[in-house]
Amino acid sequence: MKRKHLLFSALLVLACTGMAQAQSGKFYMKAAGGYFFSVSNGQFPDVGPYPPRDIRNSVNPGTGATTTISEKVLTGSYGEGARGGLTFGYNLNRYMAVEGTFNYFHSKKNLMTRNITTVENSTTVAGSVESYGHVNAIDFAPSLVISPGFEKLNPYVRFGVVVPLWGRLFIETDASRMSAVPGQPAFIMAQTAIHRKEEIEPSPTIGFQGALGATYPLGKRLDIFLETEYRNVPVKGKSKEVTEYDEVTNVVNTTNGQVISTQQRGLNDLSTAERHTDYVTTLDQNSNTPTGTTGTKTNYKNDNAPANDLKSYINIGGLGVNLGVRVRF
């Protein structure tokens, strides 16, 4: 306990000494870029009715029976990607500084779901669904920096919190299906292709960050620095909106490829429930959930109100390397 008190007292004295001697040259600005790798992989959230699986099926065209050939759980993290930041700092004294950093992050694309069905004993695709997602985010990261104050190569540790200011999980899905047309011979088929984009807005959250690095002077007021940084930023969904939707169904004579008729469905043709989703922690009998389908349209208890779905969680933290310059004023 005494050691803790002594350490706290020493840090307090250093901070107060630096503040008392504050003068020009204490302020600095840093610009950096880096790349982060995912550390804590987890299972991706569902994409609508599709779970985070890579599934391969085969279908018997005569009976319609479907057989699962293979299935794999899709895991990963949205913490891998490129990051750039602008930092404003102030030296409290030779050994301590406070910083505030604005970061922009763009994650790599992740496969969230894939379901491919082929006709039995052939490579003909009867249906497929494939979704990829990525995160764009802006955050503010206040932190405390501690170093031994060396004049040349100066190591330091930095730690603080991460406050997301804006962010979206963007999901892009392509789907296709080939199906029989009721009342028509077997060679008359309906071929449907769907392309959609959706954005998930997160709930407010807070994360943590820490770094170990070193600075080296290039001139009187210019330094270069290199650091390894770890971030842990868990994020849960608040709401979702479909921002692009294009659906085309062609009724085709498969013997000669002739298109008999075409039907289209766009973003404005979606119901409110199909276009908007509010995430909740519990689904019950009062939740606005699907009741069935009519063709490609999903029906809800109330088509004119946002749908409800369970909250999902992702992590946009990771372990990365930052390289940048520091200008002292």
Side-chain angles (χ1 to χ4, degrees):
M1 184 65 70
K2 291 183 179 180
R3 290 182 179 178
K4 290 183 179 179
H5 287 163
L6 289 173
L7 178 60
F8 177 77
S9 299
L11 292 175
L12 184 61
V13 169
L14 288 172
C16 292
T17 302
M19 293 178 69
Q21 297 176 350
Q23 52 185 309
S24 62
K26 295 291 186 179
F27 292 97
Y28 61 88
M29 186 172 68
K30 294 168 28 179
Y35 194 86
F36 280 69
F37 298 90
S38 60
V39 175
S40 54
N41 290 341
Q43 185 170 298
F44 289 127
D46 293 349
V47 182
Y50 301 102
R53 301 281 195 276
D54 187 352
I55 303 174
R56 306 302 170 100
N57 296 323
S58 67
V59 60
N60 186 313
T63 64
T66 301
T67 302
T68 300
I69 299 173
S70 65
E71 182 175 0
K72 181 176 72 173
V73 175
L74 295 174
T75 60
S77 168
Y78 286 98
E80 181 172 352
R83 188 185 307 275
L86 187 64
T87 301
F88 300 91
Y90 179 76
N91 288 307
L92 299 175
N93 53 44
R94 183 178 179 181
Y95 310 102
M96 298 178 65
V98 289
E99 293 184 351
T101 304
F102 293 92
N103 293 290
Y104 174 77
F105 175 68
H106 178 83
S107 80
K108 75 164 191 175
K109 284 188 176 182
N110 291 285
L111 175 63
M112 298 184 66
T113 188
R114 180 161 55 197
N115 192 324
I116 298 177
T117 301
T118 56
V119 177
E120 198 173 72
N121 299 321
S122 76
T123 58
T124 301
V125 177
S128 68
V129 176
E130 193 166 277
S131 297
Y132 289 86
H134 74 276
V135 167
N136 288 349
I138 297 174
D139 66 61
F140 175 67
S143 56
L144 177 66
V145 183
I146 300 176
S147 75
F150 297 155
E151 292 185 1
K152 291 294 185 179
L153 184 65
N154 187 32
Y156 64 85
V157 292
R158 174 173 58 80
F159 52 90
V161 299
V162 180
V163 183
L165 303 178
W166 174 89
R168 292 291 186 273
L169 168 58
F170 298 91
I171 303 175
E172 191 167 352
T173 302
D174 287 287
S176 64
R177 184 179 68 180
M178 186 169 59
S179 57
V181 179
Q184 296 292 330
F187 59 83
I188 302 298
M189 303 292 291
Q191 299 176 345
T192 301
I194 297 174
H195 176 76
R196 64 182 279 165
K197 291 183 179 180
E198 50 199 323
E199 299 180 10
I200 296 180
E201 179 184 355
S203 296
T205 187
I206 190 169
F208 301 92
Q209 47 96 2
L212 176 65
T215 61
Y216 187 83
L218 298 179
K220 184 177 180 180
R221 296 186 178 276
L222 182 66
D223 305 323
I224 189 173
F225 69 91
L226 178 67
E227 65 180 21
T228 298
E229 181 181 5
Y230 173 74
R231 287 171 159 245
N232 188 341
V233 189
V235 180
K236 58 184 177 180
K238 177 183 178 182
S239 62
K240 180 177 70 175
E241 179 183 359
V242 177
T243 57
E244 292 184 24
Y245 188 86
D246 183 40
E247 175 188 323
V248 179
T249 299
N250 292 321
V251 177
V252 180
N253 184 329
T254 57
T255 60
N256 57 21
Q258 179 185 0
V259 177
I260 300 172
S261 64
T262 299
Q263 292 182 339
Q264 290 184 297
R265 195 166 175 242
L267 184 64
N268 294 330
D269 297 314
L270 299 180
S271 68
T272 300
E274 288 180 296
R275 190 168 175 176
H276 299 276
T277 300
D278 290 334
Y279 290 107
V280 295
T281 55
T282 303
L283 290 176
D284 55 32
Q285 61 183 359
N286 296 317
S287 301
N288 192 18
T289 51
T291 58
T293 58
T294 304
T296 57
K297 180 183 183 301
T298 302
N299 303 313
Y300 289 82
K301 293 177 182 177
N302 184 357
D303 286 337
N304 298 317
N308 294 129
D309 201 355
L310 292 174
K311 286 181 182 291
S312 57
Y313 296 81
I314 64 172
N315 194 310
I316 58 173
L319 181 66
V321 177
N322 295 314
L323 175 66
V325 294
R326 181 178 70 173
V327 179
R328 288 172 275 120
F329 299 101

